[in-house]
Amino acid sequence: MAFDPDKANIMIPCPCGSGKLTPACCGPILAGKPAPTAEALMRSRYTAYATGRLDYIEATCAGPAAKAFDRQEAERSGLGTEWLGLTITGREAGLESDETGKVSFTFRVRQNVQDGSASEVSLFRKISGRWLYWDREDKAKPGRVGRNDPCPCGSGKKFKACHGA
């Protein structure tokens, strides 16, 4: 069910996985209230993807992210996608008093009946008092992933029990 900001009082858990109800979490941000932190913006962007709010995704991009955003590709990749969960794995700065922030996360999806996950470190900047998604950090590390190393997808499992299986 798509999020409708006009019905933000609907008492459902927020898709971002915060454990809060939508009206106490991403609902007001999607309806126009500025995100207080970089993490809050990250969570609201996940909720926007999960509910098909690509206008919000586009509006919360700046700098390199705005240049890289391809609306048609986002619409295509959203077809047949079920958003299964978001896990925040780290934060650096990005508080109300900061001007920049970094949020590490892993998300899980089911696309065309196949489950998958991806991890990213997103960079945020506060511009004119509003947090915006600026870019992502390249997390690729040179070298081979060993069977007993943590899986690079961010699942917390060993590689051999996750993507190495």
Side-chain angles (χ1 to χ4, degrees):
M1 178 171 88
F3 176 77
D4 182 349
D6 296 328
K7 298 178 182 172
N9 62 346
I10 295 174
M11 301 308 238
I12 59 170
C14 192
C16 80
S18 67
K20 298 176 184 176
L21 297 176
T22 301
C25 194
C26 294
I29 299 169
L30 289 170
K33 181 180 177 186
T37 64
E39 181 181 339
L41 181 65
M42 174 63 242
R43 288 182 176 281
S44 69
R45 286 175 53 84
Y46 173 87
T47 297
Y49 272 115
T51 58
R53 301 276 315 273
L54 293 180
D55 287 342
Y56 180 81
I57 296 298
E58 194 167 13
T60 57
C61 288
K67 290 177 186 167
F69 183 74
D70 182 339
R71 175 74 183 235
Q72 290 179 333
E73 177 57 31
E75 288 171 354
R76 266 193 305 278
S77 67
L79 296 174
T81 300
E82 180 183 353
W83 295 82
L84 303 175
L86 172 70
T87 303
I88 303 296
T89 56
R91 300 162 202 82
E92 188 177 308
L95 300 176
E96 291 184 56
S97 59
D98 295 322
E99 295 298 314
T100 62
K102 188 185 290 191
V103 179
S104 307
F105 62 95
T106 299
F107 65 89
R108 296 178 301 107
V109 295
R110 180 172 296 130
Q111 191 165 35
N112 302 319
V113 301
Q114 187 167 7
D115 289 0
S117 67
S119 296
E120 184 177 306
V121 177
S122 289
L123 307 174
F124 298 88
R125 290 191 181 178
K126 194 184 288 182
I127 299 172
S128 300
R130 295 182 79 90
W131 282 106
L132 296 169
Y133 171 55
W134 186 260
D135 204 358
R136 67 184 205 166
E137 191 173 88
D138 185 6
K139 287 182 61 171
K141 296 178 183 168
R144 185 172 173 261
V145 177
R147 288 177 35 80
N148 290 316
D149 290 339
C151 190
C153 79
S155 68
K157 297 179 183 178
K158 290 183 180 183
F159 179 70
K160 68 182 177 187
C162 193
H163 284 90

